[in-house]
Amino acid sequence: MIYQAQPPLEFIPPAFNPLFLRFFHSFLPLWLRSQTTINHIEAENVEVLVKLYREFQEKKIRFLLAFRHPQTEDPFSLVYLLSQIVPRVARQQSITLESPIHAHFIYDRGIPLWAGGYVGWLASQLGGTPIQRGKADWTGLRSARDLFANGKFPMAAAPEGATNGLSEKMSPLEPGIAQMGFWCAEDLQKAGRTEQVLIVPVGIKYSYVDAPWGAIAQLLDELAVASGLPVDTTANTQVPDLESLYPRLLTLAEHLLSLMEQFYTRFYHLQLSVVTEEVGVDRNEALKLRLQALLNAALQIAEQYFNIQSKGSLSDRCRRVEQAGWNYIFREDYKDIKGLSAVERALGDRVAEEANARMWHMRLVESFVAVSGNYIREKPTVERFAETVLIVWQMLAKIQGAKSFQRPKLGKQKVKITIGKPLSITEMYPKYKESRLGARQAVADFTNDLQQAMDNLL
């Protein structure tokens, strides 16, 4: 949390350091084992990626890895893929690739604000370039555009824009990846270069080595206690499984929704339509309807304060609120902060504190943007159950003002990375350049194609 007004956020320029990358590659396996739940990473269709890197190094193509982003650990799995698995498969195929195998990447400029300033330095040394998501960040866009067309390595970015906590459910893709691809094609054409431009969908899926039902049951107990529900001690005599834990999860969700509905109704004077089983709706459907109404109301609290219209998807609305909050905290008129009077600085701090308070509502919402209400029912697996419980845990952590959001480690996991069929930007470029309307339609069409391709990797 930032409670004082600040000068504008500075751009962190990419400053790729090959020596630091070498150290990072050597340290990564140990870090994965000691700091994450990941104990195995495997990949499918790596031969496709080997071929792409060979053609990239032969200056035949430029490409971007568009990867799924269910968890914060995803980038580390991708670095492991590029540094360990791709070189191994290349050797098996007797294909020589220049070392290192790496990718420039785009990351959210807000990450160093909550993860620590050192993260911005690390990302810079690894060749990453930041972007502010909720506005037209021309400095960030120019840097990413230049790296795509001229960088030493291919690009990598998450077209969903943020993590959603769900391995088997995609959030709607943002159009930025398609736009970056067309800009790259445009820049290459202007420079008289003949490289083809490709976007490569990459799936990332997590599964547990052993089903951690015991750890899930314990976490449900902790969440029940935190939210004021009694813990059923008789359940401790049973072997936990989905059948026994699912009713407990529904009860917890219903209780938390009731608490939040009362909170927003009493203290923010909002009218929330309450859906119950009496109107013929089953528990899951009632939860879904109540959750959507609550998320909408919570966002409205922030939107009204920042004078933002409530339009678009929940994700779009969250990004606009986030950027409005950053604008109140990181002030263009505070570039010369030492020149401000004590009263001006105090007033600025008051605005920053209030902006943080309003952004808190948005942070609750962004945890639930991909929650559908039937994620577990449509495929009742331990992975889906655990992911849902962890989302609830994250919500309670935010409500209680936790300074760290290190998720509980329920059990060891394995990661499967799947390389999809590359999609050609170059083939659609003629439509993009024919007119402004054609450009917008080409971006929309390519984004839809990419969404479908990534959905197929689930």
Side-chain angles (χ1 to χ4, degrees):
M1 284 286 193
I2 303 171
Y3 294 106
Q4 292 181 310
Q6 311 281 328
L9 276 176
E10 292 184 356
F11 176 71
I12 305 173
F16 174 68
N17 183 335
L19 292 178
F20 182 76
L21 178 65
R22 190 180 305 169
F23 164 77
F24 191 80
H25 282 175
S26 63
F27 180 70
L28 180 62
L30 174 62
W31 189 89
L32 286 170
R33 287 194 301 270
S34 62
Q35 301 299 314
T36 75
T37 60
I38 298 170
N39 79 339
H40 180 68
I41 300 174
E42 61 184 45
E44 189 174 303
N45 300 333
V46 183
E47 301 81 6
V48 173
L49 205 49
V50 171
K51 179 175 181 290
L52 290 170
Y53 265 93
R54 181 180 64 183
E55 293 179 347
F56 179 91
Q57 293 178 354
E58 293 172 347
K59 302 189 185 306
K60 295 179 180 178
I61 62 170
R62 307 291 299 185
F63 70 89
L64 181 147
L65 298 169
F67 63 91
R68 273 248 46 218
H69 202 10
Q71 295 188 16
T72 54
E73 291 88 354
D74 304 333
F76 301 104
S77 297
L78 284 175
V79 173
Y80 186 89
L81 166 71
L82 298 181
S83 64
Q84 305 287 331
I85 301 177
V86 169
R88 183 169 68 242
V89 173
R91 289 193 297 270
Q92 291 170 354
Q93 295 186 321
S94 300
I95 294 175
T96 302
L97 296 177
E98 297 175 17
S99 184
I101 305 300
H102 188 52
H104 295 291
F105 56 94
I106 302 170
Y107 67 96
D108 174 20
R109 179 60 181 86
I111 291 176
L113 299 179
W114 59 262
Y118 71 94
V119 174
W121 180 86
L122 290 175
S124 173
Q125 296 291 294
L126 292 172
T129 189
I131 196 161
Q132 295 187 48
R133 296 182 297 181
K135 71 172 188 178
D137 178 9
W138 297 115
T139 302
L141 289 171
R142 279 194 295 269
S143 175
R145 180 172 180 169
D146 178 65
L147 284 175
F148 200 168
N150 305 304
K152 178 179 176 64
F153 307 109
M155 292 291 289
E160 293 168 276
T163 59
N164 69 6
L166 306 175
S167 281
E168 296 184 316
K169 185 174 178 62
M170 286 278 296
S171 296
L173 301 191
E174 298 179 358
I177 297 300
Q179 183 62 71
M180 290 290 300
F182 287 119
W183 278 342
C184 182
E186 184 176 58
D187 293 342
L188 295 179
Q189 186 184 69
K190 288 180 179 178
R193 292 161 57 183
T194 59
E195 295 107 306
Q196 302 289 299
V197 181
L198 304 172
I199 307 293
V200 185
V202 178
I204 299 179
K205 185 176 179 179
Y206 294 80
S207 60
Y208 285 98
V209 176
D210 299 303
W213 289 117
I216 294 172
Q218 183 178 344
L219 182 56
L220 278 173
D221 286 345
E222 295 172 5
L223 297 177
V225 170
S227 60
L229 278 175
V231 176
D232 183 5
T233 55
T234 61
N236 295 332
T237 63
Q238 303 174 349
V239 177
D241 56 15
L242 189 142
E243 185 176 354
S244 64
L245 296 183
Y246 192 51
R248 292 176 58 189
L249 177 59
L250 289 178
T251 299
L252 174 64
E254 290 166 345
H255 178 66
L256 288 172
L257 275 172
S258 296
L259 290 178
M260 297 307 294
E261 286 166 347
Q262 294 167 16
F263 172 72
Y264 281 108
T265 300
R266 179 179 178 185
F267 297 106
Y268 292 92
H269 317 295
L270 297 177
Q271 295 298 318
L272 292 170
S273 57
V274 179
V275 181
T276 64
E277 291 180 90
E278 280 90 50
V279 296
V281 179
D282 70 23
R283 293 179 74 182
N284 286 276
E285 188 63 24
L287 281 170
K288 175 183 176 181
L289 296 174
R290 290 172 66 189
L291 178 62
Q292 291 304 308
L294 181 66
L295 298 182
N296 182 61
L299 268 182
Q300 285 179 352
I301 297 297
E303 289 167 335
Q304 289 168 3
Y305 175 75
F306 292 117
N307 195 27
I308 300 172
Q309 288 187 339
S310 301
K311 63 179 183 180
S313 67
L314 289 177
S315 295
D316 292 339
R317 292 167 66 186
C318 284
R319 297 291 70 76
R320 284 196 295 272
V321 168
E322 181 179 53
Q323 189 55 51
W326 291 151
N327 290 342
Y328 276 38
I329 297 168
F330 300 97
R331 302 266 293 269
E332 289 293 332
D333 53 335
Y334 271 44
K335 287 181 178 178
D336 181 20
I337 197 168
K338 293 182 179 179
L340 299 173
S341 68
V343 172
E344 287 174 316
R345 292 187 66 172
L347 289 173
D349 292 346
R350 177 72 61 162
V351 170
E353 186 177 357
E354 182 69 17
N356 259 316
R358 301 294 172 161
M359 290 169 72
W360 177 86
H361 302 280
M362 178 273 295
R363 296 299 179 203
L364 285 182
V365 173
E366 68 179 355
S367 299
F368 286 86
V369 292
V371 175
S372 63
N374 60 0
Y375 184 62
I376 297 174
R377 279 206 307 180
E378 65 186 15
K379 188 178 178 183
T381 63
V382 67
E383 284 77 21
R384 291 193 174 205
F385 195 96
E387 288 171 347
T388 303
V389 173
L390 287 172
I391 288 174
V392 176
W393 172 87
Q394 186 177 40
M395 171 193 172
L396 265 65
K398 290 180 179 179
I399 290 175
Q400 296 175 90
K403 290 182 171 58
S404 172
F405 295 104
Q406 183 68 41
R407 302 191 321 161
K409 297 179 180 180
L410 300 178
K412 289 296 183 181
Q413 291 181 296
K414 52 187 177 182
V415 183
K416 183 176 182 180
I417 304 174
T418 306
I419 310 302
K421 180 181 178 181
L423 304 178
S424 175
I425 283 282
T426 303
E427 290 179 2
M428 294 186 68
Y429 183 64
K431 179 178 181 179
Y432 173 85
K433 69 176 183 177
E434 68 184 15
S435 67
R436 183 172 297 179
L437 180 62
R440 285 199 298 267
Q441 190 60 51
V443 169
D445 289 346
F446 192 91
T447 301
N448 289 335
D449 290 346
L450 181 59
Q451 177 94 47
Q452 183 174 347
M454 296 187 74
D455 278 334
N456 291 338
L457 295 179
L458 297 179

